[in-house]
Amino acid sequence: MRDRLTEAGPETTLWESESEYRFSSVMMRLVGLLMPGAFRKQSEQHMQDFKRFVEQGKDVREETD
């Protein structure tokens, strides 16, 4: 995983995240091939959680469902 934070303006930061998944078991390789969207969705959720923490100070660990 690689993350880059770049100043995009006076009060704006661009966050770029690059992830590479490597599966060691045959079962996980199969899951990776059949459900690639699940990994993208989870990464997007992490980015949204981090954005909310930075911009609003909300910690997802303190939320209740």
Side-chain angles (χ1 to χ4, degrees):
M1 176 177 233
R2 290 177 225 35
D3 290 314
R4 286 179 292 283
L5 296 169
T6 309
E7 184 178 352
E11 294 197 23
T12 306
T13 302
L14 175 65
W15 177 21
E16 296 177 275
S17 180
E18 182 179 331
S19 300
E20 180 178 329
Y21 297 96
R22 295 182 186 181
F23 304 111
S24 57
S25 72
V26 174
M27 183 58 113
M28 285 305 295
R29 288 180 187 160
L30 184 59
V31 170
L33 287 172
L34 295 176
M35 298 176 50
F39 296 96
R40 284 188 213 104
K41 184 177 178 182
Q42 186 64 42
S43 295
E44 179 70 25
Q45 184 62 51
H46 286 299
M47 291 180 81
Q48 291 299 322
D49 291 345
F50 180 70
K51 179 181 178 185
R52 191 168 46 182
F53 172 72
V54 169
E55 293 179 350
Q56 302 170 12
K58 295 184 179 177
D59 189 342
V60 297
R61 296 173 297 180
E62 297 173 357
E63 294 179 359
T64 57
D65 290 334

